[in-house]
Amino acid sequence: MNTQTATTDEYRVCNTTGLNIFRKAEWFVKANAVLAVIFLLVGAVAALLLALTRWSNVMLLSDVWYYRMLTVHGVNMLVFWIIFLEMAILYFASTTLLNTRLFSKKLAYVSLVLMTIGAIATNYIMFAGQADVLLTSYPPLEAHPLFYLGIILFAVGALIVCFNFFATLYIAKKNKTYEGSMPLVTFGAATAAIIAVVALVHGAIALVPTFFWSMGWTEMMDPGVYRLFWWGLGHHSQQINVAAMVAVWYFIATMSTGAKPLNETVCRAAFILYILFINLAAAHHLLVDPGFSAEWKMWNTSYAMYLAVLASMIHGYTVPASMEVAMRRKGFNKGIFGWFARLPWKDPGFSAVALSAIIFGFIGGITGVTLGTEQINIMAHNTLRIPGHFHATVVGGTSLAFMGLCYYVVPLIFQKDFYLKGLARIQPWIFGGGIVIMSLGMSFAGTYGVPRRTYDSDFSGATLETGFDPVAHIMLGILGIGGILAFIGLLLFILLVVAAVFFGPSLKGKKMPTWQTPEAQKMTDDLISRGYEEEGKDYKHIKTPGTVVLVLIFLLSFAIYYFANWAALADLWHIR
Amino acid sequence: MSIFHPKGNWFRAPTGSERMWVGLALVWCLVMSITMPWWHFQGKQNAPSETYEVDPAAFMERVNQFVDAHQVDEVNGVPIVEPPPGGDAYLMGQMWRWYPVLKLKEGQTYRIHVSSVDLQHGLSILPLNMNVHVLPGYDYVMTVTPTTSGEFNIICNEFCGIGHHLMTGRIIVES
């Protein structure tokens, strides 16, 4: 177990960052990233079909295939794509950034095999039409046992990766492979891993008994209790995504602009707030459920949860502020927003992350906190406002940030260059733009009460007729158009990445080609090379007026949306 | 340098505009935290919490008794039932209908018992866009006072099998 004397068989030195990349861990970064993209493609094809079905003038699929594809889409996107990519992040953040070998290659293989078998099994049974229960699989709705078993195997695999990650942190500390504290990106990844363990334990409590029930071994779990624990999985998983996404924000901010966290204490404290205060937030899926008292609902959504909101609001300042300082240090000091215009917008890694932060904050975050308010939830629960919210957090936020990360992973880890870089530069805008349009279409349709998870919004053929305002149907059309645009952006991403990884020019022994002008890259490299050496020397006096204006606009938008919803609520019938 | 290790003691309190923003964000979080309990006491729209355990078969029996006692008419074969103002009403979610149609009076308060006799359902009253979640085994009591009159549609907004998009109901409110 002695790793003090690393050899070149064990690692290579990155020609771009100078960091040591451990070959065994690198293989698992690649394997998990490739699997992630495969399941992303499956989920994306389903997504396009769904958007073209909810578009009420198109209604592409049959009812059976709509619900089947909805199950396929949810499971592949929210579980397989995003968790496989997070596993890749854990391998990278623990080994390369801490300059250590991986704790156990065997465990890594075991986890990879379990996760792959689980993902294939669950996909098989969904496509076989024996698990049309949607992602949440609420009992008494029952799927084939293989559906639950596949997800359980996948989750066990993910738990093993988390264990391998923590063990790697431990051996790095024990072997003193780095000085001082772990880097912020690793700290963020560790946050994600800790939340992942909590999420997966909740998942086991909900899904293992449900698997037994589907086998006929036990009684059905109480549907209300199932929801409580399932959302312990379902919502915590989103916090894994948020923590991993914010870690990626910090990573790309450094790589693309040379940004340095303004204050490590603040950034790390914000991550700790995620760990401590997010585990109660599952409650905001249960706000209009029977069986919970008003006190329970309010406690679990406000006092505790809002400290996690505080954490996101802190990151929402510290990330752009660190970029502003970096840009001002490079001399882009003109006015309040001169630095903003000179950010590396031509770098798809950067633009993806910038759009991710904007979409996550301005659309996903504001709607999420508002809709997760006990009373306001009455006019949001299970309407299209909910997917309108979470497509802005988990797709426009997390998935887009992960795409941005891939524009660095391909040259740095796979050591391959991209073709068609012009297309790569506009890809985040097409995808992000599509998601924004789709998300707004969903949200506005939802304000008319259009339900989520429903094949025919007009319920045509029902005994008692119903229907929606024509404007709601226009919104469903906007949803469809946004969905098509996002799909084009996503397909472009997959084509670019696959072409580069399998057929791209090799970058072995070379520095990563810059996405920016050589001069801009030199300024960024210069900042990165100075690292922490000049702590507190020459930039403490630099103010961040641009970021302050941005976050104040954010707070104002937040307050307007929040109180507008209370005003709308006051128009409803009285209910208690 | 979020990818490098900070050395030495990096612990320091936030300063300048960062400190201002952390403070401002905290204040905003407190405003939101206070608004919710304030509305609980002052507002007229709060999520119902009154719940009783009920066997689905027993609930269906109570629904049938309710229909027998108070039916006034029918629409498309579905009974229209007028509960006494201030009294109890029943609304059953069943694959794939909301049963029966309720006839209420504006400004009167009703205790509407909602439950499911099979899968999970989502009760959604349109065009008001008022929604609650409905579970089998749980008798969920919504204490509702209609403040507007007319015909209101009910749909199901939780997936409940292949006929989910056919599951509707109605509430008629007389002024």
Side-chain angles (χ1 to χ4, degrees), chain A residues 112-169:
Chain A
L112 190 68
V113 168
L114 280 175
M115 289 173 76
T116 309
I117 290 174
I120 291 172
T122 300
N123 265 296
Y124 164 74
I125 207 70
M126 287 189 294
F127 278 102
Q130 294 184 61
D132 297 335
V133 293
L134 309 193
L135 170 67
T136 45
S137 57
Y138 291 140
L141 217 49
E142 189 177 359
H144 188 283
L146 198 55
F147 174 80
Y148 309 106
L149 185 64
I151 295 176
I152 291 167
L153 289 178
F154 184 87
V156 170
L159 262 178
I160 295 174
V161 178
C162 290
F163 172 77
N164 215 350
F165 171 81
F166 294 126
T168 305
L169 298 193

Side-chain angles (χ1 to χ4, degrees), chain A residues 21 65 75 137 157 229 239 299 366 396 406 453 474 478 484 572:
Chain A
I21 297 183
W65 277 94
V75 174
S137 57
F229 284 103
Q239 301 309 321
W299 166 257
I366 289 177
C406 289
R453 299 182 153 187
I474 294 173
I478 291 173
I484 292 171
L572 296 188

